[in-house]
Amino acid sequence: MPQPELDPATTALLTVECQNGVVGEESALPELAKEARDSGMLGRVAALVDAAHGAGVQVLHAIAERRPDGLAASANARLFRAAGKLPVRQLSGSRAVEVAAPIEVAGNDLVVRRLHGLSPIAGTDVDALLRNLGIRTLVVAGVSSNIAIPNTVFDAVNLGYRVVVPSDAIAGVPAAYTAEVIRNCLALVATLTTTEALLAQWAPAR
């Protein structure tokens, strides 16, 4: 696949829901967390974040959470109602909503938290922050290929950003579904690449 040329000055890396309560060892979604770890996705996201830090690429971490009292949380979909009944909840201020190891959060990273909805972009500060930073290209990595990743990609494209997806740095369940989403959905709207290709491009600036 052709590799995108990414200018660090106008490119940002967005990690999606790479938090302890989603992909960590005490995840509310153990099947997804296992896939994220066993596939190597989590390690590749960590490598991308590290390389982005070294290359001067802005990093943002999108976190999904809810207040302990559930105030203003979305309840208009089966997924939201089920999440409220899980033994691990993504409560504001808890370990569950911290960025998961081995991903390192640097001092100039932006952590964007949302209390509602399915998208890290719609209804959050992400778009305004990216525009203030002069960002035109968004690299999207994380989970899940079932819901949050497609939402992120579509929202970013609709807002006019060029979106790049390292296909081996996203995950969902079942594992085979991710490949189908990439082939039949994301490939139509985003530029596909690999973690290795991005690391090679960002390495000279480190």
Side-chain angles (χ1 to χ4, degrees), residues 109-163:
D109 287 5
L110 296 171
V111 179
V112 182
R113 302 178 182 277
R114 76 178 193 275
L115 291 171
H116 67 90
L118 297 169
S119 172
I121 294 180
T124 74
D125 293 334
V126 169
D127 181 40
L129 295 174
L130 294 176
R131 293 188 189 281
N132 288 346
L133 291 164
I135 300 301
R136 300 301 307 147
T137 300
L138 188 62
V139 179
V140 176
V143 295
S144 75
S145 58
N146 303 76
I147 296 174
I149 294 296
N151 265 270
T152 305
V153 172
F154 292 148
D155 286 345
V157 169
N158 285 331
L159 289 167
Y161 295 98
R162 176 193 184 199
V163 180

Short mmCIF file of all heavy atoms in Angstrom, two decimals, residues 109-163:
data_model
loop_
_atom_site.label_atom_id
_atom_site.label_comp_id
_atom_site.label_asym_id
_atom_site.label_seq_id
_atom_site.Cartn_x
_atom_site.Cartn_y
_atom_site.Cartn_z
N ASP A 109 1.15 15.81 25.94
CA ASP A 109 0.02 15.07 25.37
C ASP A 109 -1.28 15.71 25.87
O ASP A 109 -1.33 16.26 26.98
CB ASP A 109 0.04 13.61 25.81
CG ASP A 109 1.13 12.80 25.14
OD1 ASP A 109 1.93 13.39 24.40
OD2 ASP A 109 1.16 11.57 25.37
N LEU A 110 -2.31 15.61 25.08
CA LEU A 110 -3.63 16.09 25.46
C LEU A 110 -4.52 14.88 25.74
O LEU A 110 -4.63 13.99 24.89
CB LEU A 110 -4.24 16.95 24.36
CG LEU A 110 -3.49 18.25 24.04
CD1 LEU A 110 -4.07 18.90 22.79
CD2 LEU A 110 -3.55 19.20 25.23
N VAL A 111 -5.13 14.85 26.91
CA VAL A 111 -6.05 13.77 27.27
C VAL A 111 -7.45 14.35 27.21
O VAL A 111 -7.78 15.29 27.94
CB VAL A 111 -5.76 13.20 28.66
CG1 VAL A 111 -6.75 12.09 29.01
CG2 VAL A 111 -4.32 12.67 28.73
N VAL A 112 -8.27 13.81 26.30
CA VAL A 112 -9.62 14.32 26.08
C VAL A 112 -10.62 13.30 26.58
O VAL A 112 -10.65 12.16 26.11
CB VAL A 112 -9.85 14.63 24.59
CG1 VAL A 112 -11.24 15.22 24.37
CG2 VAL A 112 -8.78 15.60 24.07
N ARG A 113 -11.46 13.71 27.52
CA ARG A 113 -12.40 12.80 28.16
C ARG A 113 -13.83 13.12 27.73
O ARG A 113 -14.17 14.28 27.54
CB ARG A 113 -12.27 12.90 29.68
CG ARG A 113 -10.85 12.60 30.15
CD ARG A 113 -10.68 12.74 31.67
NE ARG A 113 -9.30 12.47 32.03
CZ ARG A 113 -8.78 11.27 32.22
NH1 ARG A 113 -9.55 10.19 32.08
NH2 ARG A 113 -7.51 11.10 32.54
N ARG A 114 -14.63 12.09 27.57
CA ARG A 114 -16.03 12.30 27.21
C ARG A 114 -16.94 11.52 28.15
O ARG A 114 -16.60 10.43 28.60
CB ARG A 114 -16.30 11.91 25.76
CG ARG A 114 -16.38 10.42 25.48
CD ARG A 114 -16.69 10.16 24.00
NE ARG A 114 -17.08 8.79 23.75
CZ ARG A 114 -16.25 7.78 23.54
NH1 ARG A 114 -14.94 7.99 23.55
NH2 ARG A 114 -16.70 6.56 23.30
N LEU A 115 -18.09 12.11 28.42
CA LEU A 115 -19.07 11.50 29.32
C LEU A 115 -20.26 10.92 28.58
O LEU A 115 -21.17 10.39 29.20
CB LEU A 115 -19.56 12.54 30.33
CG LEU A 115 -18.56 13.03 31.37
CD1 LEU A 115 -19.13 14.21 32.13
CD2 LEU A 115 -18.16 11.91 32.32
N HIS A 116 -20.27 11.03 27.27
CA HIS A 116 -21.45 10.59 26.52
C HIS A 116 -21.05 10.15 25.12
O HIS A 116 -19.97 10.47 24.62
CB HIS A 116 -22.47 11.74 26.41
CG HIS A 116 -21.96 12.87 25.57
ND1 HIS A 116 -22.16 12.95 24.22
CD2 HIS A 116 -21.22 13.97 25.89
CE1 HIS A 116 -21.59 14.04 23.74
NE2 HIS A 116 -21.01 14.67 24.74
N GLY A 117 -21.94 9.44 24.48
CA GLY A 117 -21.79 9.13 23.06
C GLY A 117 -20.79 8.05 22.75
O GLY A 117 -20.17 7.44 23.63
N LEU A 118 -20.63 7.83 21.45
CA LEU A 118 -19.79 6.75 20.93
C LEU A 118 -18.50 7.23 20.28
O LEU A 118 -17.65 6.42 19.96
CB LEU A 118 -20.58 5.94 19.89
CG LEU A 118 -21.84 5.22 20.40
CD1 LEU A 118 -22.65 4.70 19.22
CD2 LEU A 118 -21.47 4.09 21.34
N SER A 119 -18.39 8.52 20.05
CA SER A 119 -17.26 9.03 19.28
C SER A 119 -16.34 9.89 20.12
O SER A 119 -16.81 10.73 20.89
CB SER A 119 -17.76 9.87 18.10
OG SER A 119 -16.67 10.52 17.46
N PRO A 120 -15.02 9.72 19.96
CA PRO A 120 -14.07 10.59 20.64
C PRO A 120 -14.05 12.01 20.07
O PRO A 120 -13.42 12.89 20.65
CB PRO A 120 -12.72 9.90 20.37
CG PRO A 120 -13.06 8.49 20.05
CD PRO A 120 -14.36 8.58 19.32
N ILE A 121 -14.74 12.24 18.95
CA ILE A 121 -14.69 13.55 18.31
C ILE A 121 -16.01 14.31 18.43
O ILE A 121 -16.03 15.47 18.83
CB ILE A 121 -14.28 13.42 16.83
CG1 ILE A 121 -12.83 12.91 16.73
CG2 ILE A 121 -14.43 14.75 16.09
CD1 ILE A 121 -12.31 12.73 15.32
N ALA A 122 -17.11 13.67 18.10
CA ALA A 122 -18.41 14.35 18.15
C ALA A 122 -18.75 14.75 19.58
O ALA A 122 -18.79 13.92 20.48
CB ALA A 122 -19.51 13.45 17.59
N GLY A 123 -18.97 16.04 19.79
CA GLY A 123 -19.35 16.53 21.10
C GLY A 123 -18.22 16.65 22.09
O GLY A 123 -18.45 16.86 23.28
N THR A 124 -16.96 16.54 21.63
CA THR A 124 -15.80 16.70 22.51
C THR A 124 -14.96 17.88 22.04
O THR A 124 -15.29 18.56 21.07
CB THR A 124 -14.92 15.44 22.52
OG1 THR A 124 -14.18 15.35 21.28
CG2 THR A 124 -15.75 14.17 22.70
N ASP A 125 -13.84 18.12 22.74
CA ASP A 125 -12.95 19.23 22.40
C ASP A 125 -11.96 18.88 21.29
O ASP A 125 -11.17 19.74 20.88
CB ASP A 125 -12.14 19.64 23.63
CG ASP A 125 -13.01 20.27 24.71
OD1 ASP A 125 -14.06 20.82 24.37
OD2 ASP A 125 -12.60 20.20 25.89
N VAL A 126 -11.95 17.65 20.81
CA VAL A 126 -10.90 17.20 19.90
C VAL A 126 -10.78 18.08 18.66
O VAL A 126 -9.69 18.53 18.31
CB VAL A 126 -11.08 15.73 19.51
CG1 VAL A 126 -10.15 15.35 18.35
CG2 VAL A 126 -10.81 14.83 20.70
N ASP A 127 -11.88 18.37 17.99
CA ASP A 127 -11.82 19.15 16.76
C ASP A 127 -11.24 20.54 17.02
O ASP A 127 -10.34 21.00 16.29
CB ASP A 127 -13.21 19.26 16.13
CG ASP A 127 -13.21 20.06 14.83
OD1 ASP A 127 -12.26 19.89 14.03
OD2 ASP A 127 -14.15 20.85 14.62
N ALA A 128 -11.72 21.22 18.04
CA ALA A 128 -11.22 22.56 18.34
C ALA A 128 -9.73 22.53 18.68
O ALA A 128 -8.96 23.40 18.24
CB ALA A 128 -12.01 23.17 19.50
N LEU A 129 -9.31 21.54 19.47
CA LEU A 129 -7.90 21.43 19.82
C LEU A 129 -7.04 21.21 18.59
O LEU A 129 -5.98 21.83 18.43
CB LEU A 129 -7.70 20.29 20.82
CG LEU A 129 -8.37 20.47 22.19
CD1 LEU A 129 -8.20 19.20 23.02
CD2 LEU A 129 -7.80 21.67 22.92
N LEU A 130 -7.47 20.30 17.71
CA LEU A 130 -6.70 20.03 16.49
C LEU A 130 -6.59 21.27 15.62
O LEU A 130 -5.51 21.58 15.08
CB LEU A 130 -7.35 18.89 15.70
CG LEU A 130 -7.34 17.50 16.36
CD1 LEU A 130 -8.10 16.50 15.49
CD2 LEU A 130 -5.92 17.02 16.59
N ARG A 131 -7.67 22.00 15.46
CA ARG A 131 -7.64 23.21 14.63
C ARG A 131 -6.74 24.28 15.25
O ARG A 131 -6.00 24.97 14.54
CB ARG A 131 -9.05 23.73 14.41
CG ARG A 131 -9.89 22.80 13.56
CD ARG A 131 -11.23 23.36 13.17
NE ARG A 131 -12.04 22.32 12.53
CZ ARG A 131 -11.90 21.93 11.26
NH1 ARG A 131 -10.98 22.50 10.50
NH2 ARG A 131 -12.67 20.98 10.76
N ASN A 132 -6.79 24.41 16.57
CA ASN A 132 -5.91 25.38 17.24
C ASN A 132 -4.44 25.02 17.05
O ASN A 132 -3.57 25.91 17.07
CB ASN A 132 -6.24 25.44 18.73
CG ASN A 132 -7.55 26.13 19.02
OD1 ASN A 132 -8.11 26.80 18.15
ND2 ASN A 132 -8.05 25.99 20.24
N LEU A 133 -4.16 23.75 16.91
CA LEU A 133 -2.79 23.28 16.70
C LEU A 133 -2.37 23.29 15.24
O LEU A 133 -1.23 22.98 14.92
CB LEU A 133 -2.66 21.85 17.25
CG LEU A 133 -2.74 21.69 18.77
CD1 LEU A 133 -2.99 20.24 19.15
CD2 LEU A 133 -1.45 22.19 19.42
N GLY A 134 -3.30 23.60 14.34
CA GLY A 134 -2.98 23.60 12.92
C GLY A 134 -2.89 22.22 12.31
O GLY A 134 -2.22 22.02 11.28
N ILE A 135 -3.56 21.27 12.91
CA ILE A 135 -3.50 19.88 12.44
C ILE A 135 -4.41 19.68 11.23
O ILE A 135 -5.56 20.10 11.23
CB ILE A 135 -3.91 18.90 13.57
CG1 ILE A 135 -2.97 19.05 14.77
CG2 ILE A 135 -3.93 17.46 13.05
CD1 ILE A 135 -1.52 18.78 14.49
N ARG A 136 -3.88 18.99 10.22
CA ARG A 136 -4.67 18.65 9.03
C ARG A 136 -4.79 17.15 8.84
O ARG A 136 -5.68 16.68 8.14
CB ARG A 136 -4.01 19.26 7.77
CG ARG A 136 -3.89 20.76 7.79
CD ARG A 136 -5.24 21.45 7.94
NE ARG A 136 -6.18 20.99 6.92
CZ ARG A 136 -7.49 20.89 7.12
NH1 ARG A 136 -8.01 21.17 8.30
NH2 ARG A 136 -8.28 20.47 6.15
N THR A 137 -3.85 16.39 9.42
CA THR A 137 -3.85 14.92 9.26
C THR A 137 -3.94 14.27 10.63
O THR A 137 -3.20 14.63 11.54
CB THR A 137 -2.56 14.45 8.55
OG1 THR A 137 -2.50 15.05 7.26
CG2 THR A 137 -2.56 12.93 8.40
N LEU A 138 -4.84 13.30 10.74
CA LEU A 138 -5.05 12.62 12.01
C LEU A 138 -4.77 11.13 11.84
O LEU A 138 -5.40 10.46 11.02
CB LEU A 138 -6.49 12.82 12.49
CG LEU A 138 -6.83 12.34 13.89
CD1 LEU A 138 -6.01 13.10 14.94
CD2 LEU A 138 -8.32 12.49 14.16
N VAL A 139 -3.82 10.62 12.62
CA VAL A 139 -3.53 9.18 12.67
C VAL A 139 -4.35 8.59 13.81
O VAL A 139 -4.26 9.06 14.95
CB VAL A 139 -2.03 8.92 12.89
CG1 VAL A 139 -1.76 7.41 12.95
CG2 VAL A 139 -1.20 9.57 11.77
N VAL A 140 -5.15 7.58 13.51
CA VAL A 140 -6.08 7.01 14.48
C VAL A 140 -5.66 5.58 14.82
O VAL A 140 -5.48 4.75 13.93
CB VAL A 140 -7.52 7.03 13.93
CG1 VAL A 140 -8.48 6.34 14.90
CG2 VAL A 140 -7.97 8.46 13.65
N ALA A 141 -5.54 5.29 16.14
CA ALA A 141 -5.17 3.95 16.59
C ALA A 141 -5.93 3.64 17.87
O ALA A 141 -6.32 4.54 18.60
CB ALA A 141 -3.66 3.87 16.83
N GLY A 142 -6.14 2.34 18.13
CA GLY A 142 -6.79 1.96 19.38
C GLY A 142 -7.95 1.02 19.17
O GLY A 142 -7.96 0.19 18.26
N VAL A 143 -8.98 1.17 20.00
CA VAL A 143 -10.14 0.28 19.96
C VAL A 143 -11.43 1.08 20.01
O VAL A 143 -11.44 2.22 20.45
CB VAL A 143 -10.11 -0.71 21.16
CG1 VAL A 143 -8.92 -1.65 21.06
CG2 VAL A 143 -10.07 0.03 22.50
N SER A 144 -12.51 0.46 19.60
CA SER A 144 -12.53 -0.82 18.92
C SER A 144 -12.94 -0.63 17.47
O SER A 144 -13.62 0.33 17.13
CB SER A 144 -13.51 -1.78 19.61
OG SER A 144 -14.85 -1.43 19.30
N SER A 145 -12.52 -1.59 16.66
CA SER A 145 -12.89 -1.56 15.24
C SER A 145 -14.39 -1.77 15.07
O SER A 145 -14.94 -1.49 14.01
CB SER A 145 -12.12 -2.62 14.46
OG SER A 145 -12.36 -3.91 15.01
N ASN A 146 -15.06 -2.23 16.13
CA ASN A 146 -16.51 -2.43 16.06
C ASN A 146 -17.27 -1.12 16.06
O ASN A 146 -18.23 -0.95 15.31
CB ASN A 146 -16.98 -3.27 17.26
CG ASN A 146 -16.28 -4.60 17.36
OD1 ASN A 146 -15.12 -4.65 17.78
ND2 ASN A 146 -16.95 -5.67 16.99
N ILE A 147 -16.85 -0.17 16.93
CA ILE A 147 -17.65 1.03 17.11
C ILE A 147 -16.82 2.32 17.11
O ILE A 147 -16.96 3.18 16.25
CB ILE A 147 -18.48 0.94 18.41
CG1 ILE A 147 -19.50 -0.21 18.30
CG2 ILE A 147 -19.21 2.25 18.70
CD1 ILE A 147 -20.27 -0.48 19.56
N ALA A 148 -15.95 2.49 18.11
CA ALA A 148 -15.30 3.79 18.30
C ALA A 148 -14.37 4.17 17.16
O ALA A 148 -14.30 5.35 16.78
CB ALA A 148 -14.54 3.82 19.63
N ILE A 149 -13.63 3.22 16.60
CA ILE A 149 -12.70 3.56 15.53
C ILE A 149 -13.44 4.04 14.27
O ILE A 149 -13.11 5.10 13.72
CB ILE A 149 -11.76 2.37 15.21
CG1 ILE A 149 -10.83 2.09 16.40
CG2 ILE A 149 -10.94 2.65 13.94
CD1 ILE A 149 -9.86 3.21 16.73
N PRO A 150 -14.44 3.31 13.77
CA PRO A 150 -15.19 3.83 12.62
C PRO A 150 -15.83 5.18 12.91
O PRO A 150 -15.81 6.08 12.05
CB PRO A 150 -16.25 2.76 12.35
CG PRO A 150 -15.65 1.50 12.88
CD PRO A 150 -14.88 1.92 14.10
N ASN A 151 -16.38 5.37 14.10
CA ASN A 151 -16.95 6.66 14.47
C ASN A 151 -15.91 7.77 14.36
O ASN A 151 -16.18 8.84 13.82
CB ASN A 151 -17.49 6.61 15.90
CG ASN A 151 -18.97 6.31 15.97
OD1 ASN A 151 -19.80 7.19 15.95
ND2 ASN A 151 -19.28 5.03 16.05
N THR A 152 -14.73 7.51 14.89
CA THR A 152 -13.65 8.50 14.86
C THR A 152 -13.26 8.85 13.44
O THR A 152 -13.12 10.03 13.09
CB THR A 152 -12.43 7.96 15.62
OG1 THR A 152 -12.81 7.57 16.94
CG2 THR A 152 -11.33 9.00 15.69
N VAL A 153 -13.07 7.83 12.63
CA VAL A 153 -12.65 8.05 11.24
C VAL A 153 -13.70 8.83 10.47
O VAL A 153 -13.39 9.82 9.79
CB VAL A 153 -12.34 6.71 10.55
CG1 VAL A 153 -12.10 6.92 9.06
CG2 VAL A 153 -11.13 6.05 11.19
N PHE A 154 -14.96 8.44 10.57
CA PHE A 154 -16.02 9.14 9.84
C PHE A 154 -16.15 10.59 10.29
O PHE A 154 -16.27 11.50 9.47
CB PHE A 154 -17.36 8.43 10.02
CG PHE A 154 -17.44 7.08 9.36
CD1 PHE A 154 -18.21 6.08 9.92
CD2 PHE A 154 -16.75 6.81 8.20
CE1 PHE A 154 -18.30 4.83 9.32
CE2 PHE A 154 -16.81 5.56 7.59
CZ PHE A 154 -17.60 4.58 8.15
N ASP A 155 -16.12 10.80 11.61
CA ASP A 155 -16.25 12.17 12.12
C ASP A 155 -15.09 13.04 11.64
O ASP A 155 -15.29 14.20 11.26
CB ASP A 155 -16.31 12.17 13.64
CG ASP A 155 -17.65 11.69 14.18
OD1 ASP A 155 -18.61 11.62 13.39
OD2 ASP A 155 -17.73 11.38 15.38
N ALA A 156 -13.88 12.51 11.69
CA ALA A 156 -12.72 13.28 11.26
C ALA A 156 -12.79 13.61 9.77
O ALA A 156 -12.49 14.73 9.35
CB ALA A 156 -11.43 12.53 11.58
N VAL A 157 -13.17 12.63 8.97
CA VAL A 157 -13.30 12.86 7.53
C VAL A 157 -14.37 13.91 7.25
O VAL A 157 -14.19 14.83 6.45
CB VAL A 157 -13.60 11.54 6.79
CG1 VAL A 157 -14.00 11.82 5.33
CG2 VAL A 157 -12.39 10.62 6.84
N ASN A 158 -15.50 13.81 7.94
CA ASN A 158 -16.58 14.78 7.74
C ASN A 158 -16.17 16.18 8.15
O ASN A 158 -16.70 17.17 7.61
CB ASN A 158 -17.81 14.36 8.54
CG ASN A 158 -18.55 13.20 7.89
OD1 ASN A 158 -18.53 13.04 6.68
ND2 ASN A 158 -19.22 12.39 8.70
N LEU A 159 -15.22 16.29 9.06
CA LEU A 159 -14.74 17.60 9.49
C LEU A 159 -13.61 18.12 8.62
O LEU A 159 -13.10 19.22 8.86
CB LEU A 159 -14.28 17.52 10.95
CG LEU A 159 -15.40 17.38 11.98
CD1 LEU A 159 -14.83 17.00 13.34
CD2 LEU A 159 -16.20 18.67 12.07
N GLY A 160 -13.20 17.34 7.63
CA GLY A 160 -12.21 17.82 6.68
C GLY A 160 -10.80 17.37 6.92
O GLY A 160 -9.88 17.80 6.21
N TYR A 161 -10.57 16.51 7.91
CA TYR A 161 -9.22 16.02 8.15
C TYR A 161 -8.87 14.89 7.21
O TYR A 161 -9.74 14.12 6.78
CB TYR A 161 -9.08 15.51 9.60
CG TYR A 161 -9.24 16.60 10.63
CD1 TYR A 161 -10.46 16.79 11.27
CD2 TYR A 161 -8.18 17.43 10.95
CE1 TYR A 161 -10.62 17.80 12.21
CE2 TYR A 161 -8.33 18.44 11.90
CZ TYR A 161 -9.55 18.62 12.51
OH TYR A 161 -9.72 19.62 13.44
N ARG A 162 -7.60 14.78 6.89
CA ARG A 162 -7.08 13.60 6.22
C ARG A 162 -6.81 12.57 7.32
O ARG A 162 -6.13 12.88 8.30
CB ARG A 162 -5.78 13.94 5.50
CG ARG A 162 -5.09 12.77 4.85
CD ARG A 162 -3.68 13.18 4.47
NE ARG A 162 -2.96 12.16 3.76
CZ ARG A 162 -1.63 12.14 3.64
NH1 ARG A 162 -0.91 13.09 4.20
NH2 ARG A 162 -1.04 11.18 2.98
N VAL A 163 -7.35 11.38 7.19
CA VAL A 163 -7.23 10.37 8.24
C VAL A 163 -6.33 9.23 7.76
O VAL A 163 -6.48 8.72 6.64
CB VAL A 163 -8.61 9.82 8.64
CG1 VAL A 163 -8.47 8.77 9.73
CG2 VAL A 163 -9.51 10.96 9.12
#
